[in-house]
Amino acid sequence: MEEIKKFRGSKYAQSHTGFVYSDIGKELKKGEKVLFIGTPCQIAGLKAYLGKASDALVTIDLICHGTPPMSYLEEYIKEIAGAEKVDRVSFRGEKDYHMVFYSQDRVVYSQRFRKDLYYTAYLQGIIHRENCYKCEYADKRRISDLTIGDFWGIDRKSLKVPYKGKISVVLVNSEKGRKFWDLVKDEFIYEERSLEEAVKGNVPLQRPAALPKDRMKFIEVYKEKGFMSAVKTPGVQKAIEEAKVKDNLFYRILGKIKRRFR
């Protein structure tokens, strides 16, 4: 149960599936029940591997904006942390939207998202895997029994029970998903909303990530000089700086609104 906590939190890199598909197949053959959570393309991979549906398998996909190869993050950690042995990375932990590197629970690096090169390049969509820009699963029609993610754009004033914390969305996509949700829903504060509301606030439920104009330049430099050089190219840096300006403007306006209504 202690290890399950590692599943929590957003992770902006492609996870390594290893031999998990074959492991799941073995568990199902033994009559075990299995819950698999991953990106939509990973769910598709699992289903293709198994070849047939199983009542004992429940799948949950994440509302995915795109995933960079793990090698990008590994290179970045090595560059930033140097000789420090980083054993944990947080993108949205105690400090939301901060890149934080830990070594045995000791913080060795912490930077707000718009000041962190990897984080900003991810949010700008520059460092996704190539197939993310034409993802066939970026649609409101989902491949899994359940879909989970952030409920962007929800009208908080219309909530039946006022809530100030973060709000997630759960899409129930199949009868199996409905049965699973019914088993666990009493552990949550929840209410039913329209699918249209969830789709409106979440671009990955509408279409794949847009291909940035400086994407190819990033790839060209990466092949020759690695991640840090690629993410520092003029075009990529311009996109990052533009994002910072927008971000700073947003928070200045937000600060004024908060001060006005104190």
Side-chain angles (χ1 to χ4, degrees), residues 65-78:
H65 296 260
T67 54
M70 182 60 75
S71 57
Y72 291 177
L73 182 58
E74 290 172 342
E75 285 185 45
Y76 188 64
I77 291 172
K78 187 175 181 180

Side-chain angles (χ1 to χ4, degrees), residues 136-149:
E136 61 184 278
Y137 308 108
D139 191 276
K140 64 181 179 181
R141 295 167 294 180
R142 309 304 290 178
I143 194 170
S144 303
D145 299 305
L146 294 168
T147 297
I148 58 175

Side-chain angles (χ1 to χ4, degrees), residues 12-62:
Y12 300 138
Q14 178 71 61
S15 60
H16 179 55
T17 53
F19 296 98
V20 71
Y21 294 167
S22 60
D23 290 343
I24 290 172
K26 292 174 185 176
E27 293 299 312
L28 293 173
K29 286 180 180 179
K30 290 191 294 186
E32 297 289 344
K33 293 180 179 180
V34 177
L35 169 65
F36 181 72
I37 306 171
T39 58
C41 57
Q42 289 175 331
I43 304 294
L46 173 61
K47 289 187 173 183
Y49 174 83
L50 295 175
K52 60 180 181 179
S54 170
D55 290 337
L57 173 66
V58 177
T59 57
I60 299 179
D61 74 78
L62 310 169

Side-chain angles (χ1 to χ4, degrees), residues 127-161:
I127 59 174
H128 297 336
R129 295 167 62 220
E130 197 64 34
N131 58 321
C132 293
Y133 301 109
K134 49 183 181 294
C135 176
E136 61 184 278
Y137 308 108
D139 191 276
K140 64 181 179 181
R141 295 167 294 180
R142 309 304 290 178
I143 194 170
S144 303
D145 299 305
L146 294 168
T147 297
I148 58 175
D150 294 307
F151 204 139
W152 297 117
I154 189 168
D155 181 5
R156 288 178 177 267
K157 293 180 180 179
S158 68
L159 292 173
K160 295 176 183 176
V161 178

Side-chain angles (χ1 to χ4, degrees), residues 251-262:
Y251 280 100
R252 283 202 301 270
I253 294 172
L254 184 63
K256 288 181 179 180
I257 292 172
K258 286 182 176 180
R259 287 193 293 273
R260 182 176 178 182
F261 290 96
R262 277 177 182 171

